[in-house]
Each structure stands twice: as C-alpha cells, then as structure tokens.
Amino acid sequence: MKRSLRIQLSLMMFLEFFMKGSWFVTLGTYLKNNLGASPLEVSNIFSTQSLGAVIAPFFIGFIADRYFNAERVMGVLHLIGAGLLLMMYRAGNAAAIYPYVLFYFIGYMSTLALTSSVAFRNLTDPKKQYPSIRIFGTIGWVIAGFAISYLFRWDTREAVAAGALQKTFLLGAACSALLGLLCFFLPATPPLKKNQTSFHWGDVLGLQALKLLRQKGFLIFFLTAIVICIPISFYYQHTNPFLVATGLPEPTAKMALGQLSEALCLLLIPFFFARLGYKKMILLGIGAWALRYLLFAFGNGQDLAFMLILGIILHGVCYDFMFVVGQIYTDTIAGEQYRSSAQGLVTVAMYGIGMLIGFWIAGFVADALKAYEGTRYWRHLWLAPAAMAMGCLLLFAALFKEQRPPQSSPSA
C-alpha cells in the first residue's frame, strides 16, 4: 500500500470518529444541564441514532451504490453535517435541537458505511491492512475525549454549569467540515451497481435472511441481540451525566478508556474464541453488561471511583464479546447465500429496533425515578438495566445451543 493512501485513509478514519466523539459523548449532560430537557426528551433525541441506523441503508442502497462516487457522497454529507452541528450549537431547547440531530444521524450513519466501503475497495489486502487503518478511528474517539477533559476542560462541574459543553458542537462542526473537504481528495470509488435499475427494500433490510430464524440457535441469538440492546442504551444515554453528577474528575476522558479496552479485546478475540466458543463468549459479553451496571450502582466519584473506572474499562468485553462475536456467529450460520442479508438483518435489529426501544425505556425509567435525588436516583437507575442484563443472561444460557455451520447454503 502506498504511504499516501495509508495517510489518507487513516486520517479519514480518525476524523470520522473524532467528530462523533467530540460532541455525542457529552450530549446527555448538555441536554439535561443546559437545555433543561426532561428524561423523555433526552430519550427522544438519543433515539435519532437508531432511526438513522434504520434509514441510512436505504440511502446507501438506493443512491450511493448506484449513482455517485462514495467519496463524493461522503464529502457532501459531512459538509451538510457541519451545518447541522452549527444549528445544534444555536438551538436553545430540546425541541429545537431534535430535527438537527435526526438529520445529522441519517447522514452520519450513512457515512459510516461509506467509510468502510472506501477503505475496503482501495486496499489490496483488506484482511491484513484494514485493522491498521480502522484503529485510527478508535484513536480519534479517545483523543476527542481527552481533548474535552484535559485540553479544553469543558466537562468540569463549573464548566458544565457555565454552558461550556455547547462548544463541543463547534468542535464537531469544524471536524466535519475538514473531513468533508478531505473526502474530495480521497481515491475515486465509483458505484458498484451503476447499471442496476432495480431496487429491493428487502435486500436493504436483510429480509432474505428471515428464513434463518427457523434455526432455533439463530432465533435465540437474534432475540437476545435485540433484548440486550435495551439495557445497553442506558449506558450511552446516562453515563456521562452520571459521571459528572457523581464528581468523577475528567469524565469524558475516563469514558474514552472504554475505546482503548475495545481495541485490546479485538486483538484477544481469536485467543478466547479458540478456547471458549460462541456461547461462552456471548455469555461473558452479556454478563459484563450486568457487572458494569452494578459497579455504577454502588460506586461513586470519590473513594469508590475505581468501581466506575472498572465499569468503563469493561466496555471491551461488553461490546466485542457480544457484538463482534455475534457478527462472526451470524456469518458462520448464514453461509454464502445469506451472508450479507443476515448481517443487515442483525444490524437493523440491534441498532435500529433494540436500541430504539432501549433509549425510550431508559427515558421512562429515568422519568419514573425523578422524585429521587442524588445517589439514590442513580443507584435505582443503574439497577434497572443490571436486572435486564441478568435476565437476558439466564435466558440465553438456558435456551441457546451452539450448532455447526451448514454444510451447504440453506434452501429456500
């Protein structure tokens, strides 16, 4: 691979994830403390990420795959995204910011797929070369968190009260504009389906893979993937406000430790997989979510801060052992015929259906507990997803049985 190409693709990955990490991690804190958003309004705004995950495949499949170069579509979407982030900066209440976040995530979730497409199609040996490119995305997310906490110090209690987190949208907008311009200098990546005129909604949603649900093992995994995303949504929606409220220093930088853990666990997956297999690894992933929430429920930002740090560091096990191993399992069970369709189906189920339900439940739980204050409020809030994760763990342990991959493609 040419050095110039490596630099271009690595910078693309870095900015793609730095951009989201620069404002999304602290969004819940900003909405609650500075815009006075209610728990249900916060849930409504966070659910836009799931709506974007559902809508984005239609945009990619119908437009980007057929009519325009991927890098040009990315460039336009990121420039529009910069404008939307500026509008978020100017929004004065939860109702005003909602449409900008919604349209932003429709575009951003589309660029995630396009980023991978541009990288894979311009690498000569993606299996060997892509990890060293993708790691810059994790680095970008981590540096964004460190910048907010250590460089700008926007997430201290005093800074939050003064409205400093509003500036995160300006940081994200600058990054989005820079990446938008960079995209037009990326290698040309023309559409793969330029001459195809037919478009099938079922292909986008992975509906062809529904017949795989006849297999009990895949059905149990599929339902588990949806259910576990409900307690997972509590983490994305409430962790940063919780860490700020409990007084943990540099909370945004501390949360970035989760991405470092995720990168390390990715490297360890082959080691554990050879010894544990699908079921035990997924159980470890689900169990890690339950343990994380218990640590949050009984830790604090002072003498028990180590419990919060441990809960954050568990992110690698939580995410990789559930989501990444789940993708490997799906790929194995689906076979060649339904591979792409099955991955699309599981992605929509988790990021679309599961997390969409989860964000709303997280909002309803927070709203029901609003009469409580301080430690008591947060303890009850975290015990709810801990109980959900434990229930999911027990059901998966009892019902799921590993099965050998099919010897041939499943028949219709």
Side-chain angles (χ1 to χ4, degrees):
M1 177 177 21
K2 292 182 179 180
R3 185 179 181 182
S4 59
L5 176 62
R6 176 179 290 277
I7 293 174
Q8 283 180 306
L9 297 180
S10 298
L11 184 58
M12 173 189 72
M13 285 292 180
F14 179 90
L15 293 174
E16 179 79 16
F17 288 89
F18 179 97
M19 178 172 50
K20 185 181 178 185
S22 68
W23 66 276
F24 184 71
V25 175
T26 58
L27 178 62
T29 303
Y30 177 72
L31 292 173
K32 180 179 179 180
N33 289 273
N34 301 113
L35 295 190
S38 70
L40 293 181
E41 286 177 320
V42 173
S43 294
N44 195 27
I45 291 168
F46 268 86
S47 68
T48 60
Q49 181 176 218
S50 296
L51 294 173
V54 173
I55 297 172
F58 293 99
F59 180 83
I60 298 299
F62 186 64
I63 297 177
D65 282 352
R66 284 171 167 75
Y67 300 109
F68 303 103
N69 282 22
E71 80 282 359
R72 294 176 183 173
V73 176
M74 281 179 58
V76 172
L77 289 176
H78 282 307
L79 291 175
I80 294 173
L84 290 170
L85 284 164
L86 288 175
M87 297 307 294
M88 293 182 213
Y89 170 79
R90 298 180 60 184
N93 55 62
I97 202 173
Y98 174 84
Y100 304 128
V101 182
L102 174 61
F103 286 113
Y104 179 87
F105 271 122
I106 293 173
Y108 181 80
M109 299 305 285
S110 300
T111 66
L112 281 179
L114 291 170
T115 296
S116 298
S117 177
V118 169
F120 278 114
R121 289 179 57 193
N122 288 283
L123 295 174
T124 55
D125 191 351
K127 288 184 179 180
K128 292 183 179 180
Q129 297 167 336
Y130 183 72
S132 65
I133 300 294
R134 174 58 182 82
I135 194 67
F136 279 90
T138 300
I139 293 172
W141 186 284
V142 171
I143 290 181
F146 276 55
I148 289 172
S149 290
Y150 295 120
L151 179 61
F152 302 116
R153 301 192 64 80
W154 290 337
D155 60 352
T156 64
R157 282 187 173 182
E158 296 77 14
V160 169
L165 288 179
Q166 185 180 18
K167 299 175 184 177
T168 61
F169 300 109
L170 293 179
L171 180 61
C175 182
S176 188
L178 178 61
L179 181 52
L181 295 175
L182 171 68
C183 286
F184 292 102
F185 296 94
L186 292 173
T189 310
L192 289 173
K193 303 176 183 178
K194 190 171 184 179
N195 296 323
Q196 294 186 17
T197 56
S198 60
F199 176 76
H200 302 286
W201 301 107
D203 292 340
V204 171
L205 292 175
L207 298 183
Q208 285 76 8
L210 284 175
K211 59 190 67 180
L212 294 174
L213 297 178
R214 299 171 187 169
Q215 302 178 42
K216 182 180 177 181
F218 186 75
L219 175 62
I220 297 301
F221 164 74
F222 179 79
L223 295 175
T224 300
I226 294 177
V227 174
I228 194 59
C229 283
I230 296 174
I232 284 173
S233 300
F234 280 73
Y235 178 79
Y236 296 112
Q237 188 163 317
H238 293 301
T239 300
N240 194 262
F242 164 64
L243 297 180
V244 171
T246 196
L248 185 71
E250 296 85 33
T252 311
K254 298 293 194 309
M255 286 185 68
L257 296 175
Q259 275 59 48
L260 293 177
S261 166
E262 181 184 333
L264 177 61
C265 285
L266 276 173
L267 300 177
L268 295 176
I269 280 180
F271 173 82
F272 285 105
F273 189 75
R275 291 158 177 79
L276 300 178
Y278 295 115
K279 183 172 183 176
K280 291 180 180 178
M281 289 192 72
I282 293 175
L283 285 173
L284 282 174
I286 299 173
W289 282 103
L291 177 58
R292 158 182 270 182
Y293 290 134
L294 289 174
L295 290 168
F296 283 1
F298 295 100
N300 60 54
Q302 291 78 45
D303 58 313
L304 297 178
F306 74 93
M307 296 176 67
L308 306 185
I309 300 298
L310 180 58
I312 292 170
I313 293 175
L314 277 173
H315 187 74
V317 180
C318 292
Y319 186 87
D320 292 339
F321 282 30
M322 177 64 216
F323 288 91
V324 177
V325 173
Q327 289 173 329
I328 298 172
Y329 171 74
T330 300
D331 187 75
T332 302
I333 294 300
E336 187 66 32
Q337 183 177 356
Y338 298 112
R339 180 164 291 153
S340 297
S341 184
Q343 293 290 358
L345 179 65
V346 171
T347 298
V348 170
M350 291 191 301
Y351 292 95
I353 300 172
M355 286 195 178
L356 183 63
I357 295 172
F359 284 129
W360 276 103
I361 290 181
F364 280 117
V365 170
D367 190 63
L369 296 173
K370 62 185 178 182
Y372 297 107
E373 295 182 358
T375 301
R376 192 179 180 190
Y377 167 80
W378 290 112
R379 180 164 296 173
H380 283 80
L381 182 73
W382 293 125
L383 287 176
M388 295 177 200
M390 282 302 301
C392 188
L393 175 74
L394 295 174
L395 290 174
F396 186 78
L399 299 176
F400 180 82
K401 293 183 179 180
E402 289 194 37
Q403 58 194 98
R404 295 181 179 180
Q407 298 300 316
S408 58
S409 299
S411 57

